[in-house]
Amino acid sequence: MYDLRSGTGPAEFVLPAPAGRAVRPDGGEGHGPDDPFAAGGWGPERTVRAEVIARLLLHGPAAAPGRVTALKLTGALVTGEFTLAGGRIDCYVEFQLCRFERKLLLSEATAGTLRIVSCALPRLEASRLVSEGDVHLARCGIPGGVRLTDARIGTDLLLNQSAVGPDAYGRAVSADGISINQDCEAERLDLIGELSLRSARIGGRLSLRGGSLRAAGPDNPTAVNAARITVGHTLYLSGSEDANWTGSRTVYGSGYGGSTVAAPYRDTTHTPFRAWGRIRLSDGRFDNAVLITNAEFHLGEGEELALSRIQTPELRFTCDTPPTGAVSLNRARIGNLVDSPGAWPTAHHVSLTGFTYESLRPAEPFPLERRIAWVDSGREFRPEAYEQLAAALRRDGADEDARAVLYAKQRRRRRTLPLPGRLWGHLQDAAVGYGYRPGRAAAWLVLAWVLGTAYFAGHRPAPVKPDESVVWNPALYAAGKVLPLIDLGQNGWNPDRTGQWVATALVLTGWTLATTAVAGVTRLLQRG
């Protein structure tokens, strides 16, 4: 245990300089002379050579009887090349409030628990690192990025409140193929550059609450790339409650992700999750839930929030501010979809091709017209999106809403047809609403019957056989023309030329409306 701070008392874990910077831009003293992110220099009295630390960790003395071997260094300026690549570190390692002159090389090293807390270091190279315990990089400032590709973490990986800048490829955290047995906590993470977690496996939860993630620029416009990730519990892309972190002296916050205030969510202050750049979670599997709440997605031209082919029992999408680009849920498989109408983009596309979900559980009232606009916002007409929505509404007992969705499907389909199909579609729509509004057929038939009755009341036709006595009834005569295949006893009359055209129009109207009405009744009686 070696404490080189100028002050005394417990170490205060200060926050790092902004992402991409080694020191705070104001050039001030920060939190005093022990702040590793302040502009002031540290003299030789606080200097420790990296070579000495490496020798202690790789070939240090054995533990004294009844004691545990550990190295705890606080407030030091570490100079020289810090190389532990390929080595085995058997002791507990902890660095606090330290400045590292050069990057840390831990590639292919084996360690127990490694804690680097509130330290300033240019870069961390730890690909294929194997740890039996935790790896903590909380409240650290790492302007040159972190590489944890194919690392294996025995318990937790902690990145809370760290500020990380991009490497030469625009990646801030490269952790493709990483395996974490328990949780990955990265709350209030400040990144400039890509967070890459492709094919990562996390046994517990992945928390990015309150994070600020910015893509490095045009050469790499991706903020998060977590394609094919597997999370054993829950993914949090959500806000972080301020009360959990205000005045907290720990790197976990006071609530370790949970709320410490009994007040309702909207009565407390939160720092939203914010991302500038495209988000890719395609092909991910989340065994408990994906929670996207109190999040802001600032997407540029051609960028999208990609949730294609994800699998999870619950997707919660309840952002106060809708994404500024497209959202893709193509072929995703969800149990419960918990959402709100204001969370989905209205000026951009929501792709729902092959998207399946068991039930809809809106977090607030979701008008049916907004839900129909949701499925209608894709670039192309996809009938399965309407069928999926109608099936979910039927499972909830909302048969009328389900029919309204299928009616909207036919109207949307009409716009894709050639001119004859569109004309026939308009006729079907006006007549009986494609069979989902069969009451319209009855109204049109009644109107045709009334008009026919009015005409023939003033234009009585001559009888076919003058010697036969037939009781004239204009209402029954018009009804017999409008209702095909029904004989109402008024066939013994011979109208004049104009009357023949009127009778023919009534017959054609009756056949058309009756045929369409039968189709509508058939659709009403069908299930599934």
Side-chain angles (χ1 to χ4, degrees):
M1 298 176 63
Y2 200 24
D3 190 344
L4 293 175
R5 292 177 300 148
S6 60
T8 59
E12 180 182 354
F13 297 135
V14 299
L15 293 174
R21 294 179 178 268
V23 297
R24 293 191 176 87
D26 56 11
E29 288 298 323
H31 294 272
D34 295 323
D35 185 352
F37 310 106
W42 289 356
E45 72 281 359
R46 302 183 66 165
T47 300
V48 176
R49 286 177 295 146
E51 180 185 358
V52 175
I53 299 174
R55 176 161 299 209
L56 286 172
L57 293 178
L58 298 177
H59 303 288
R67 303 295 296 273
V68 175
T69 305
L71 175 63
K72 299 182 180 180
L73 185 60
T74 305
L77 172 62
V78 181
T79 61
E81 191 77 27
F82 198 139
T83 303
L84 295 170
R88 181 175 181 85
I89 306 169
D90 294 322
C91 65
Y92 173 89
V93 182
E94 182 177 280
F95 297 102
Q96 296 181 2
L97 298 170
C98 292
R99 288 182 185 174
F100 292 85
E101 185 181 68
R102 299 188 185 180
K103 63 183 178 182
L104 274 67
L105 299 176
L106 295 171
S107 300
E108 301 186 21
T110 302
T113 292
L114 179 63
R115 297 185 79 242
I116 304 175
V117 179
S118 208
C119 293
L121 56 152
R123 177 170 171 80
L124 174 62
E125 286 278 359
S127 56
R128 296 175 296 283
L129 169 70
V130 178
S131 77
E132 297 176 358
D134 293 348
V135 173
H136 289 194
L137 295 168
R139 298 195 181 187
C140 287
I142 312 175
V146 174
R147 185 177 179 85
L148 287 165
T149 305
D150 297 318
R152 289 184 289 164
I153 311 299
T155 49
D156 297 335
L157 173 62
L158 191 70
L159 295 164
N160 289 345
Q161 295 185 301
S162 286
V164 186
D167 61 10
Y169 302 98
R171 299 188 184 98
V173 177
S174 298
D176 297 339
I178 193 172
S179 176
I180 304 171
N181 284 350
Q182 293 188 20
D183 296 338
C184 179
E185 292 284 335
E187 300 198 1
R188 304 209 171 199
L189 183 64
D190 180 15
L191 294 188
I192 295 179
E194 177 184 342
L195 172 60
S196 185
L197 292 167
R198 293 177 297 177
S199 301
R201 300 181 65 86
I202 300 172
R205 60 181 181 172
L206 171 58
S207 179
L208 294 169
R209 290 187 180 101
S212 176
L213 283 62
R214 297 175 177 84
D219 294 337
N220 187 349
T222 301
V224 178
N225 188 354
R228 302 178 302 279
I229 191 173
T230 300
V231 177
H233 197 266
T234 303
L235 168 64
Y236 295 90
L237 298 181
S238 56
S240 171
E241 190 172 308
D242 294 338
N244 287 352
W245 296 97
T246 303
S248 173
R249 296 177 59 85
T250 76
V251 294
Y252 291 100
S254 56
Y256 191 58
S259 177
T260 59
V261 180
Y265 181 87
R266 293 192 177 275
D267 294 339
T268 57
T269 59
H270 296 74
T271 296
F273 169 84
R274 297 183 175 98
W276 287 264
R278 61 189 179 193
I279 307 292
R280 188 183 179 202
L281 298 171
S282 304
D283 300 291
R285 178 170 180 174
F286 309 91
D287 290 348
N288 186 64
V290 175
L291 305 184
I292 304 177
T293 62
N294 193 15
E296 299 175 7
F297 298 97
H298 303 274
L299 304 169
E301 177 124 7
E303 298 174 353
E304 68 175 6
L305 169 59
L307 301 171
S308 304
R309 300 177 297 281
I310 68 168
Q311 299 180 42
T312 183
E314 179 171 306
L315 170 62
R316 182 177 292 268
F317 199 90
T318 56
C319 304
D320 295 330
T321 303
T324 59
V327 176
S328 175
L329 283 161
N330 294 335
R331 291 181 290 283
R333 296 173 61 186
I334 307 297
N336 295 329
L337 177 59
V338 183
D339 60 349
S340 57
W344 300 103
T346 55
H348 301 275
H349 298 292
V350 179
S351 299
L352 302 173
T353 303
F355 177 40
T356 60
Y357 45 92
E358 294 296 325
S359 60
L360 295 169
R361 297 292 180 264
E364 56 187 73
F366 207 130
L368 182 61
E369 59 271 15
R370 294 288 299 275
R371 185 66 78 182
I372 292 174
W374 174 65
V375 299
D376 196 32
S377 62
R379 290 184 177 89
E380 298 178 356
F381 170 64
R382 298 294 184 185
E384 64 267 26
Y386 296 86
E387 296 289 346
Q388 175 66 37
L389 176 57
L393 293 171
R394 283 199 198 97
R395 285 192 292 269
D396 289 338
D399 289 340
E400 288 296 329
D401 290 347
R403 285 193 288 270
V405 171
L406 296 177
Y407 175 39
K409 181 191 78 170
Q410 295 294 336
R411 303 187 77 178
R412 175 68 174 84
R413 175 179 173 271
R414 184 175 67 210
R415 301 202 297 266
T416 68
L417 299 176
L419 180 60
R422 291 199 302 272
L423 294 176
W424 175 245
H426 280 293
L427 178 59
Q428 291 277 308
D429 192 357
V432 291
Y434 288 99
Y436 298 106
R437 298 291 184 269
R440 292 183 185 178
W444 284 109
L445 286 172
V446 169
L447 178 60
W449 170 69
V450 169
L451 293 177
T453 300
Y455 175 82
F456 286 110
H459 303 80
R460 177 176 176 174
V464 176
K465 297 180 180 181
D467 57 337
E468 294 183 2
S469 177
V470 181
V471 178
W472 168 246
N473 189 319
L476 292 179
Y477 183 80
K481 299 300 181 183
V482 169
L483 300 176
L485 303 180
I486 297 179
D487 185 3
L488 298 178
Q490 293 291 318
N491 293 327
W493 301 96
N494 184 22
D496 58 12
R497 184 182 298 273
T498 303
Q500 289 178 356
W501 284 108
V502 173
T504 301
L506 292 177
V507 171
L508 294 177
T509 300
W511 273 105
T512 302
L513 293 176
T515 303
T516 311
V518 168
V521 172
T522 303
R523 286 197 184 98
L524 281 174
L525 295 177
Q526 284 179 341
R527 296 295 180 184

